[in-house]
Amino acid sequence: MLIIKSPLEVLDMAEELLYEGKAKKIFSTDDPNVLLVQYKDSLTAFNAKKRDEKAGKGHLNNVISSWIFTWLAKKGVESHFIKQVDETHQLIRKVEIIPLETIVRNVTTGSLCRRLGVEEGKKLSRPIIEFSYKSDALDDPLINDDHAIVLGWATEEEVATIKSIALKVNKLLTELFASVGVLLVDFKLEFGRDEKGRVLLADEISPDTCRFWDSKTHDHLDKDRFRKDLGDVLGAYEEIWRRLSARGMDA
Ligand code: 5GP
């Protein structure tokens, strides 16, 4: 991955801290349409009721997410991502975040099994898309398309666009990860509106936001290692990065 800026040059790009979330900080830059994102080393789960710090985690999520957004752009999926600028920072286009978490599931696990009592680890006959309302105060409650549209969080057209991009990303990433021996179990996407009102993929795509299982062993290579106290969280993130970087963008 191309590293083009020294830490001092990156600090210079950051103007004002606009937002600090659980895993990232967002700064304004001298361009009103461009933001600087800093990936933090903090790990949180269960709406930050469980927290830890792992040195190097921000770097890994930054390089993994930058790699995936770059690869998706080559496949025709646009996102807010502009470029990686150093180990833990990337530049993104400013978008107005749509307050929906879009979850795509290929295999049963996690909250789907808890909520519906279905068996873990079953391959679904087709992907399931779910929406949650992005609200820490409410613990990101599950909603449906009607809630999103009627309560004014997204238009009907935006919901249709989000679903269509989510399914395309799922198809592309399922193939990508299969090529490096990883089963893409499920993941969460976020979307935003750019200055022209176009819906763009946003946030990050990383082991924090996806469930990655080793195709053969079903070992967890994602944040479930932290959620379930399985140990070696960083080793799992490093393994995802090792496989993606060894594969290369062009294969
Ligand atoms: P579940 O609903 O089973 O907990 O999560 C489904 C998928 O979405 C998992 O890949 C999980 O990592 C991701 N996901 C759901 N909600 C969040 C969230 O609030 N933050 C992050 N980082 N990932 C989430």
Side-chain angles (χ1 to χ4, degrees):
M1 192 62 61
L2 189 65
I3 308 292
I4 59 156
K5 297 282 182 191
S6 73
L8 271 181
E9 283 174 307
V10 171
L11 269 185
D12 218 32
M13 296 165 92
E15 295 211 323
E16 187 193 342
L17 176 65
L18 298 177
Y19 166 82
E20 177 159 7
K22 286 170 272 196
K24 295 189 282 296
K25 286 183 187 173
I26 311 254
F27 299 89
S28 58
T29 68
D30 59 7
D31 182 333
N33 291 316
V34 175
L35 302 175
L36 182 73
V37 182
Q38 181 191 344
Y39 280 68
K40 305 197 305 185
D41 283 339
S42 41
L43 268 161
T44 64
F46 315 118
N47 197 7
K49 287 174 198 86
K50 180 172 180 172
R51 294 169 176 273
D52 200 1
E53 242 351 77
K54 289 266 180 251
K57 186 249 172 183
H59 177 201
L60 283 163
N61 271 5
N62 186 35
V63 290
I64 292 168
S65 199
S66 295
W67 196 102
I68 292 174
F69 279 139
T70 305
W71 185 84
L72 283 173
K74 282 172 183 277
K75 302 286 174 190
V77 179
E78 266 192 278
S79 74
H80 71 164
F81 177 77
I82 301 173
K83 64 180 174 188
Q84 187 190 338
V85 287
D86 75 355
E87 286 195 350
T88 53
H89 294 84
Q90 56 182 247
L91 289 175
I92 59 166
R93 286 165 61 182
K94 188 174 182 174
V95 293
E96 179 195 5
I97 290 290
I98 297 171
L100 305 177
E101 298 197 337
T102 303
I103 290 156
V104 184
R105 299 183 185 273
N106 297 306
V107 177
T108 61
T109 191
S111 70
L112 179 91
C113 294
R114 284 198 301 277
R115 247 184 296 123
L116 304 177
V118 295
E119 201 186 330
E120 279 264 344
K122 288 280 156 213
K123 173 93 182 73
L124 295 163
S125 59
R126 65 173 177 83
I128 290 177
I129 296 185
E130 293 172 348
F131 292 117
S132 294
Y133 175 48
K134 240 176 97 67
S135 161
D136 284 342
L138 300 173
D139 266 344
D140 299 340
L142 189 71
I143 58 165
N144 67 21
D145 302 26
D146 272 352
H147 293 105
I149 296 161
V150 177
L151 299 176
W153 296 319
T155 65
E156 192 154 1
E157 197 188 352
E158 284 173 338
V159 169
T161 304
I162 286 170
K163 283 184 165 180
S164 146
I165 298 173
L167 287 176
K168 184 167 180 190
V169 168
N170 185 44
K171 189 166 184 301
L172 288 166
L173 293 189
T174 295
E175 286 166 16
L176 168 70
F177 279 100
S179 76
V180 295
V182 171
L183 177 64
L184 179 63
V185 170
D186 57 30
F187 56 97
K188 184 243 332 177
L189 298 176
E190 293 188 25
F191 293 85
R193 302 178 188 98
D194 70 7
E195 69 285 359
K196 293 188 185 123
R198 284 185 320 149
V199 171
L200 277 189
L201 186 56
D203 195 47
E204 68 178 286
I205 302 180
S206 73
D208 268 11
T209 63
C210 303
R211 284 198 177 96
F212 297 128
W213 292 358
D214 180 88
S215 304
K216 288 206 184 89
T217 63
H218 284 193
D219 271 354
H220 295 346
L221 300 172
D222 56 58
K223 196 160 84 170
D224 268 357
R225 300 203 72 83
F226 172 65
R227 294 187 186 101
K228 299 180 173 181
D229 293 320
L230 298 175
D232 200 17
V233 179
L234 222 56
Y237 286 45
E238 273 162 5
E239 181 61 17
I240 291 294
W241 177 233
R242 192 189 65 73
R243 292 191 197 188
L244 284 180
S245 44
R247 177 192 183 278
M249 285 270 166
D250 297 324

